Amino acid sequence: MTTIALCQIPVSPDPATNLKRAREALARAEGADLAIFPEATLTRYGRRVTELAEPLDGPFVSGLSEAARTHGLAVIAGVFEPGEGPAGSKVHNTAVAIGADGAIKAAYRKIHLFDSFGSKESDMVAPGAEPTVVELAGLRVGLVTCYDIRFPELTRALVDKGADLFAMIAAWGSGPLKEDHWVTLVRARALENTMWTAAVGQAPNPEESKDGFGVGRSMLVDPLGVVRADLGTGPGVQLVRLDTEWTATARAMLPCLDHRVLKGQPTVK
């Protein structure tokens, strides 16, 4: 059994405020092996992400690393890294994975950018290219960020890399049917891959921003698509338990990964 803390926090535009909230959430996650925070935990989306982005050895990730080491648990959180060009150029939307020893184990740069529903993430963010699986808390964790969830080929690539848990982090936009999309897609990615899926989104935060990002609904979904926990919309930290033996049981009942016909086939053009 692995215990995961779903850390559904409201995110401020101010990184120092968010680091304080993350530390408080980790203190509440006592007994967890892995704590998962939302996408963009460093700062809310907006034009200032290019000036507020920090390298992975900057104060925000260093603060998370210190807290991870203090509490003896692994951490996944969304940050923005400066781009490789001059100051003010595009940033990377990064999911950083930190071990219980405080060391950075992986950094996944979001591949699919949210140029939909009137948003244009690519104006500020440069895409990554490499699907990433990292060993944390005794699990091989496949990292997925927000809009990535709409592309099932990414989660299949993570399966092929040996993932036994998807960690999906998001700052999901609100709007007509958007919350339904989130719940449906999280369950679909879990079910079609017979994979435990921990999905964590920002809590709504209308007091500090009117941008509409953050619908909550962080959840743990089992390999047969059953929602084992759902935090609703309010801020919260909930500990959930994941049993990897259930994955084998589910895949014996539903061996769809073994039945794939097009695995490894080139894309039809």
Side-chain angles (χ1 to χ4, degrees):
M1 288 277 192
T2 302
T3 302
I4 297 174
L6 307 177
C7 299
Q8 181 170 288
I9 65 170
V11 174
S12 161
D14 176 44
T17 298
N18 296 326
L19 180 57
K20 180 176 182 290
R21 288 174 182 168
R23 285 171 166 157
E24 290 170 347
L26 289 175
R28 295 175 59 192
E30 187 71 31
D33 303 297
L34 169 64
I36 305 176
F37 287 90
E39 176 189 25
T41 299
L42 170 70
T43 181
R44 293 189 74 81
Y45 269 107
R47 291 293 169 185
R48 292 191 66 207
V49 299
T50 55
E51 62 183 89
L52 293 174
E54 295 182 7
L56 297 183
D57 60 357
F60 188 84
V61 174
S62 295
L64 283 182
S65 295
E66 179 185 7
R69 187 166 51 250
T70 296
H71 295 287
L73 77 171
V75 173
I76 295 170
V79 300
F80 294 103
E81 290 180 273
E84 297 176 359
S89 62
K90 291 184 180 182
V91 300
H92 291 291
N93 184 343
T94 300
V96 62
I98 302 167
D101 60 356
I104 295 174
K105 304 298 185 183
Y108 164 66
R109 292 173 168 178
K110 184 179 181 184
I111 293 173
H112 302 96
L113 302 183
F114 185 56
D115 289 1
S116 300
F117 293 101
S119 294
K120 196 100 185 307
E121 186 177 12
S122 63
D123 282 348
M124 298 177 291
V125 178
E130 184 64 32
T132 301
V133 174
V134 58
E135 293 192 14
L136 290 174
L139 299 171
R140 288 184 56 77
V141 184
L143 302 176
V144 180
T145 301
C146 205
Y147 193 52
D148 281 335
I149 198 175
R150 294 184 183 271
F151 301 88
E153 60 270 26
L154 174 60
T155 46
R156 278 292 162 90
L158 297 174
V159 170
D160 290 339
K161 283 178 169 285
D164 46 32
L165 167 71
F166 295 145
M168 297 177 170
I169 63 172
W172 202 256
S174 60
L177 298 178
K178 290 297 299 303
E179 188 174 321
D180 285 342
H181 289 190
W182 167 251
V183 174
T184 299
L185 289 163
V186 171
R187 294 187 67 191
R189 298 295 85 85
L191 178 56
E192 71 195 3
N193 292 294
T194 50
M195 181 74 71
W196 283 100
T197 299
V200 178
Q202 292 183 12
N205 191 6
E207 292 80 12
E208 293 177 304
S209 178
K210 306 298 183 185
D211 59 22
F213 287 109
V215 299
R217 299 302 302 274
S218 301
M219 59 184 68
L220 179 72
V221 181
D222 77 13
L224 290 181
V226 177
V227 177
R228 298 291 190 96
D230 185 332
L231 273 65
T233 58
V237 175
Q238 184 169 337
L239 271 60
V240 295
R241 300 190 74 187
L242 177 159
D243 182 0
T244 53
E245 292 186 4
W246 176 238
T247 303
T249 300
R251 289 178 177 176
M253 291 188 287
L254 179 62
C256 57
L257 293 177
D258 293 335
H259 294 164
R260 285 193 290 170
V261 175
L262 298 179
K263 180 181 178 181
Q265 296 296 312
T267 301
V268 176
K269 294 183 179 180

